[in-house]
Amino acid sequence: MMRAGATLLLALMMGACSTGQQPAQPEPRIRCANIVLILEFMVRSDPDASALRARIEEERAAFARLEKESASAREGDRAGLAARVEEGRARLAELTAEEDSQKKRLMSELNRALSAVASRQQAEYVIAAGDALVYYRKELDITEDVIREIISQRKRNAPVAR
């Protein structure tokens, strides 16, 4: 009987000392950034990337005209047009490879800027705003901060004219 009373007393004391709740953990700091908008800014403000985009658009338009011309050409003209179509495909393939290289460089630059801004704001997560993200509060958006960081990084990395 004494043993049962001691066990009951111990159980009551433990229950009074413990609330059973876990210690409160701070909520994670989540931010979002419109990656499409940032990348568009980066391409437009980078002379190499914007020139490459213009060359690709021109080449695609010329290729589309050439294919259309080839489809409506007479039998004798098709052989020459087919060779020009293949040349156009080769040029587009070269430009696409160059575009992939530009994208890698820009994504690296974007990641550095995102990391710097997220670190300053002590964010644990940065979610890409766009088609998948339906709603977010404006105060969670770090898009403008990332663009300012990219500008700042570009100024720091620009060659100094003497």
Side-chain angles (χ1 to χ4, degrees):
M1 179 92 162
M2 194 109 157
R3 186 176 242 183
T7 306
L8 179 61
L9 182 60
L10 181 62
L12 286 173
M13 285 176 37
M14 288 178 62
C17 294
S18 171
T19 62
Q21 294 179 356
Q22 299 274 338
Q25 295 180 352
E27 289 191 26
R29 292 182 56 102
I30 300 172
R31 298 291 179 258
C32 61
N34 189 331
I35 304 301
V36 173
L37 182 74
I38 296 168
L39 284 172
E40 183 62 26
F41 163 79
M42 293 174 76
V43 169
R44 288 184 181 196
S45 63
D46 185 289
D48 294 335
S50 59
L52 177 62
R53 177 185 275 180
R55 285 194 342 239
I56 289 172
E57 288 173 3
E58 289 170 8
E59 194 63 42
R60 283 185 180 149
F63 186 72
R65 285 191 305 272
L66 193 57
E67 280 188 320
K68 188 176 182 180
E69 187 180 325
S70 176
S72 63
R74 289 179 288 166
E75 195 65 37
D77 297 337
R78 285 193 181 163
L81 287 172
R84 289 177 46 203
V85 165
E86 284 307 311
E87 289 172 6
R89 278 195 181 109
R91 282 193 305 275
L92 276 174
E94 289 172 14
L95 290 173
T96 300
E98 193 176 338
E99 181 182 38
D100 290 343
S101 173
Q102 287 280 347
K103 282 181 183 177
K104 286 179 185 175
R105 182 181 61 79
L106 292 175
M107 286 304 294
S108 175
E109 187 178 353
L110 171 62
N111 284 330
R112 281 192 310 274
L114 268 172
S115 294
V117 171
S119 177
R120 273 198 306 272
Q121 295 192 7
Q122 298 175 339
E124 283 112 14
Y125 302 99
V126 176
I127 299 172
D131 293 337
L133 188 61
V134 179
Y135 171 80
Y136 60 93
R137 291 191 329 246
K138 181 69 177 157
E139 56 269 10
L140 299 178
D141 189 358
I142 61 172
T143 302
E144 291 177 11
D145 297 327
V146 173
I147 289 174
R148 280 193 288 274
E149 180 66 25
I150 289 168
I151 292 168
S152 175
Q153 287 180 0
R154 285 181 174 174
K155 284 180 182 177
R156 282 193 305 264
N157 295 334
V160 178
R162 295 184 186 203

